[in-house]
Amino acid sequence: MKIVGTAIIVNDKDEILIGQRPEGKALPGLWEFPGGKQEEGETIEQCIMREIKEELDVCCEVKEFLLEVSKEYEHGDFKLLVYKAKIKDVENLKALVHQDLKWVTAKDMVNFEFPPADIEIIEFLQNKF
């Protein structure tokens, strides 16, 4: 099972950052929360910080743990460990991996197509935000 560090990045308008998965990867065109697979020897917090730097070219501070979601896909089994994260230099975000980035409210997430594992995260966020 692959462990995935997932970041819920919220701006000062209570909007959450989502990214559109690129063509050529699993689940292309779907929207997701930033983050990625944990590498050997790294903590989940280190994983999230590394992934945010690789995907968005900014540094983040990992805050509180929110929830855990497990899901089986054709391309593997995944456990998502979801944390709230803060970016200091939001205006410098770059889409280095994603086709597009958007700030959306938790309620507006129903207008975007997400992978099945993210549905439980969205339900959690809609109750929290």
Side-chain angles (χ1 to χ4, degrees), residues 48-59 96:
I48 291 170
M49 290 186 291
R50 175 185 52 75
E51 288 285 346
I52 296 306
K53 183 66 176 167
E54 289 174 5
E55 292 181 5
L56 305 172
D57 198 29
V58 291
C59 295
L96 300 179

Side-chain angles (χ1 to χ4, degrees), residues 14-115:
D14 276 343
E15 296 169 321
I16 300 163
L17 185 66
I18 59 173
Q20 190 175 32
R21 293 183 60 81
E23 296 299 321
K25 296 256 183 174
L27 309 172
L30 298 185
W31 292 84
E32 67 179 359
F33 302 101
K37 293 182 209 79
Q38 184 179 27
E39 293 180 354
E40 190 174 331
E42 100 186 323
T43 67
I44 198 66
E45 292 85 357
Q46 290 168 332
C47 166
I48 291 170
M49 290 186 291
R50 175 185 52 75
E51 288 285 346
I52 296 306
K53 183 66 176 167
E54 289 174 5
E55 292 181 5
L56 305 172
D57 198 29
V58 291
C59 295
C60 81
E61 181 182 352
V62 179
K63 300 290 196 173
E64 72 267 19
F65 172 77
L66 298 175
L67 75 154
E68 175 183 315
V69 177
S70 295
K71 194 70 180 168
E72 294 177 21
Y73 290 100
E74 288 180 12
H75 59 280
D77 297 344
F78 295 85
K79 182 190 294 184
L80 283 65
L81 300 177
V82 185
Y83 284 77
K84 194 168 182 183
K86 181 165 180 61
I87 294 178
K88 295 178 182 85
D89 48 350
V90 172
E91 63 280 350
N92 294 324
L93 283 174
K94 296 181 186 94
L96 300 179
V97 173
H98 297 97
Q99 294 182 72
D100 196 8
L101 297 172
K102 289 196 184 301
W103 291 99
V104 299
T105 65
K107 288 180 176 55
D108 287 341
M109 288 182 186
V110 297
N111 300 318
F112 297 86
E113 189 176 358
F114 284 83

